[in-house]
Amino acid sequence: MNKNDLKPAIVFEEFAKINKIPRPSKHEEKMIDYLKNWGVSRGLDTNVDETGNVIIRKPATKGMENCKTVILQSHMDMVCDKLVDVEFDFDKDAIKTYVDGEWLTAEGTTLGADDGIGCAIELAILASEDVKHGPIECVFTRDEETGLTGAEGMKAGFMTGDYLINLDSEDEGEIFVSCAGGRNTQAKFTFTRTEAPAGSFFLKGSLKGLVGGHSGDDINKKRANAIKILARFLFQTMKRYEGTQLAQFHSGKLHNAIPRDGQFVIAVPNELKENVRADWNVFAAEVEDEFHVTDTQMVFSMESTDAELVIAPEVAKKFVWAIQAVDNGIYAICQDEALGGMVETSSNIASIHTSETTIDILSSQRSNVMSNLDNMCATIQAVFELAGAEAKSSDGYPAWKMKADSKLQEIVVNSYVKLFGKKPIVRGIHAGLECGLFSERYPQLDMVSFGPTLRFVHTPDERLHIPTVQMVWDHLLDVLQNIPQK
């Protein structure tokens, strides 16, 4: 299969155009202009709100004017991540894609199918002249990936539809009717640097090649977290060898991604350097065995490095002990049988970076139960505050609760059975969808979410399963033809 064979062609043509437009989270200005000009040039009612969300309205096709209005919604921004040895500027460069069997992926960067493919499907619906539908509102929100601030800033009345189909899901054949709420917790250790003890030898330990992934949807897959692994070795080493000093710790980039790589710099007594190297090799073998199913490409490295000032020993110890102790991964499973054993509450230590005077930590908590989300954030704060750090949690975003009498869910499920001869999976997702915020501003909205299959989102391995795009397209067109009248 090559790019010219991608179906439906109209969707992949729009996706290719979108991937030429830089659209990092919080820097979507070029995408906003593109969408605005796209709608206006076709004579469609197009508006941009004060936050930067775009809405393009298309009238009903003949005979369907009295149908209820459907909102199609996706987010315009993308997670920007690349392999360390790839030269790429996300503020200027176009994403370079290629076909790998049945998958579309990118050359060393995130693909942007999350949620560029949703945007492309919407534009294809708007551009098509042979799709039957009632009144449609296509909504493109900004800055979903770093806090849902586009949806947060959307005022009531911007959308006027009755049903909303979110196109930001990642598993074809699954209809999402619920999502987790989320908050970030930040912590900061402040210190003064000092000279390492006389006779110290400096070592740099690094880890790369982890799978990583989405900190919500992939948190149940037992993928290794680079921060937790590196801190684990530091904890063991500082317990075993008195005089071990910490100079640097860097790992992770994004609040919503499991960190895939990282490094630290330590100083150890010169006579113990070979002991530490030997311990590192043993530790690496143990961890590789521990994650031999999920993370098969781990690369551990340790080498000598230049001397530098170290973090105040009492602060370094409290920091390492806190990272060793803090919760990471699944905290609770949903008790509601309708959600099929989905993760209810979790936490992900997402990034740590040291400066000359601070250690800055970012973590992400999620839950479908808001009281347990508060509890999870309090647990993370308590660990860091006991260790002497400043800690605070963001306001975050709400969960989207399942609607028991959803007419849209019934339409979507019946359409899927008719087209594909099997029932779709109806479930919640342990990730933040903008539907949670919409449910607060537009409590009358009946909502579902579905989309084509994506894998390894938020990483340079992100890929889109090409055949599922056609399936989602066919499904969406059938749903639009079966929307009831007002």
Side-chain angles (χ1 to χ4, degrees), residues 267-312:
V268 300
N270 188 65
E271 65 273 15
L272 295 175
K273 62 184 180 183
E274 296 307 323
N275 299 63
V276 175
R277 289 182 191 272
D279 291 346
W280 176 257
N281 292 334
V282 172
F283 175 79
E286 291 174 345
V287 172
E288 287 170 351
D289 181 64
E290 187 175 323
F291 292 96
H292 72 279
V293 174
T294 58
D295 293 82
T296 61
Q297 304 297 320
M298 286 184 175
V299 178
F300 288 81
S301 176
M302 180 168 280
E303 59 188 5
S304 60
T305 190
D306 295 337
E308 59 180 289
L309 296 176
V310 298
I311 297 168

Side-chain angles (χ1 to χ4, degrees), residues 386-397:
L386 281 171
E390 302 174 28
K392 62 179 180 180
S393 297
S394 66
D395 293 334
Y397 51 89

Side-chain angles (χ1 to χ4, degrees), residues 49 106 164 323 403 445 464:
D49 72 6
L164 185 146
I323 300 301
K403 187 178 179 70
L445 269 181
L464 167 66

Side-chain angles (χ1 to χ4, degrees), residues 464-475:
L464 167 66
H465 194 218
I466 296 165
T468 63
V469 180
Q470 182 71 61
M471 295 176 72
V472 168
W473 177 255
D474 293 342
H475 187 199

Side-chain angles (χ1 to χ4, degrees), residues 14 18 34-35 38 56 119-128 140:
E14 294 294 345
I18 288 170
Y34 175 78
L35 291 169
W38 194 102
I56 304 175
C119 295
I121 290 171
E122 289 189 65
L123 293 179
I125 293 285
L126 291 170
S128 177
F140 308 85

Side-chain angles (χ1 to χ4, degrees), residues 53-72:
N53 302 306
V54 179
I55 188 167
I56 304 175
R57 294 183 171 90
K58 184 180 181 183
T61 54
K62 187 176 181 180
M64 299 190 72
E65 295 87 353
N66 292 327
C67 291
K68 291 187 175 183
T69 300
V70 175
I71 303 164
L72 304 178

Side-chain angles (χ1 to χ4, degrees), residues 350-381:
S351 72
I352 296 177
H353 295 285
T354 53
S355 69
E356 289 304 300
T357 58
T358 63
I359 306 172
D360 295 290
I361 303 163
L362 176 63
S363 64
S364 175
Q365 289 74 52
R366 303 175 187 270
S367 184
N368 290 59
V369 179
M370 297 308 288
S371 60
N372 216 5
L373 178 61
D374 292 340
N375 178 54
M376 188 79 259
C377 291
T379 299
I380 304 301
Q381 287 185 54

